[in-house]
Amino acid sequence: MKNLIDCPAERAVYFLGGKWKIRILFSLLQSKKIRFGKLKKGLKTITQQMLSKQLKELEGDGIVNRKVIQIMPPKVEYSLTEFGFSVMPILRSFSEWNKRNTRTISVKLNKNFEENRIR
């Protein structure tokens, strides 16, 4: 098995792994800037703890920007960084691949879907 460092594709996927990160990125792309509560509301079933964890990881990886607005009470806005925007063509490509192969993907998911694989 290759080291993570030796496989460029695996290194790239590392930044986006997990059930929620891609959904968060698409939400940020659509809204440009979004507050935590609105983001959570749009993602419906994500817990506050998980959203916070995923946002911290994305921020730490330089994909998401976190801006604190000093008013009372303080507001926090999230947006994509330039690096975050650079991954969007790849995600759109995945989306197009999914659209072109919807039938096959749906059949495979129904037969082999394991929720733990995307967590």
Side-chain angles (χ1 to χ4, degrees), residues 76-114:
V76 179
E77 290 181 338
Y78 294 92
S79 60
L80 292 173
T81 62
E82 189 175 325
F83 181 52
F85 276 110
S86 74
V87 79
M88 295 316 292
I90 298 162
L91 297 182
R92 284 191 188 105
S93 170
F94 274 130
S95 183
E96 289 303 314
W97 175 78
N98 180 57
K99 287 176 188 173
R100 284 191 310 272
N101 296 286
T102 297
R103 179 168 285 158
T104 303
I105 291 168
S106 294
V107 168
K108 298 290 184 188
L109 279 176
N110 288 336
K111 286 183 181 176
N112 305 318
F113 185 71
E114 294 177 42

Side-chain angles (χ1 to χ4, degrees), residues 11 26 38 40-41 43 64 79 97 117:
R11 286 180 63 195
F26 272 114
K38 187 174 180 186
K40 184 178 180 322
K41 194 176 204 178
L43 296 172
V64 167
S79 60
W97 175 78
R117 277 182 61 181

Side-chain angles (χ1 to χ4, degrees), residues 52-85:
S52 180
K53 178 182 183 282
Q54 297 292 281
L55 286 167
K56 284 177 185 172
E57 287 178 11
L58 289 166
E59 183 184 8
D61 291 338
I63 295 172
V64 167
N65 182 47
R66 180 180 186 266
K67 180 180 178 186
V68 178
I69 301 165
Q70 295 297 333
I71 59 170
M72 287 310 275
K75 283 202 266 186
V76 179
E77 290 181 338
Y78 294 92
S79 60
L80 292 173
T81 62
E82 189 175 325
F83 181 52
F85 276 110

